[in-house]
Amino acid sequence: MKKKLENAKGLWLELLPKVLWAYRTMPKACTRETPYSLVYGTDAIILVEVGEPGLRYSHESGLTNDERMRQDLDVVKEQRDMAYIRMVAQKQQAERYYNKKAKIRQLKVGDYVLKAKTQASKDTREGKLGTN
């Protein structure tokens, strides 16, 4: 999303709604669901499909759509739970991968360690030329 907006330079105001729509309707890798479907319980219909009715839109209209929406609302809690489980599983997999590559070092009293200065511990009189 950031790359698309950076390439647009001065046109980001016109591109922002399209980029946000694409973000909300693309399935995410960790949950395998779209953010829109996790919130509303159904897939988003693209505006072009409303103007030029396609097969999906023509079958979704009328009373059958209302009944299907009610059924989807019953299933949405389970869908969210499954997405959460997949997200946690992906995070655990990434953690295992990282921990497999990490070298654990035991520190003892007297070992030298590098300590970085934070903004809170820096001397305000030194300014931007102070030591890190």
Side-chain angles (χ1 to χ4, degrees):
M1 180 166 70
K2 183 178 179 183
K3 185 177 180 182
K4 181 81 171 170
L5 291 176
E6 283 177 355
N7 292 340
K9 299 288 182 201
L11 301 174
W12 69 271
L13 191 58
E14 289 83 26
L15 281 179
L16 187 62
K18 294 174 188 172
V19 171
L20 290 176
W21 178 258
Y23 178 78
R24 291 181 193 128
T25 57
M26 293 290 296
K28 301 298 166 219
C30 60
T31 60
R32 291 187 217 135
E33 298 286 340
T34 64
Y36 188 92
S37 69
L38 289 175
V39 172
Y40 298 108
T42 184
D43 288 328
I45 294 179
I46 302 171
L47 296 176
V48 173
E49 290 184 76
V50 175
E52 306 243 346
L55 188 61
R56 184 172 80 155
Y57 181 73
S58 61
H59 287 301
E60 295 294 324
S61 60
L63 297 173
T64 58
N65 186 36
D66 294 337
E67 294 212 8
R68 187 158 179 263
M69 290 291 283
R70 282 191 206 96
Q71 291 172 351
D72 286 347
L73 286 176
D74 294 337
V75 179
V76 76
K77 176 76 172 142
E78 182 180 328
Q79 185 182 9
R80 287 178 187 153
D81 291 341
M82 291 302 295
Y84 178 75
I85 289 169
R86 283 192 296 267
M87 184 179 69
V88 169
Q90 185 197 25
K91 287 183 180 180
Q92 288 174 346
Q93 182 181 8
E95 181 182 6
R96 280 193 305 269
Y97 177 77
Y98 175 79
N99 288 340
K100 185 169 49 172
K101 301 277 183 182
K103 293 180 183 177
I104 299 173
R105 295 183 184 179
Q106 298 295 329
L107 297 176
K108 300 176 204 137
V109 176
D111 287 349
Y112 289 108
V113 294
L114 182 64
K115 181 180 176 184
K117 283 188 175 181
T118 62
Q119 288 290 352
S121 64
K122 283 188 178 181
D123 189 5
T124 56
R125 293 172 285 153
E126 291 179 349
K128 67 180 182 181
L129 299 176
T131 60
N132 291 332

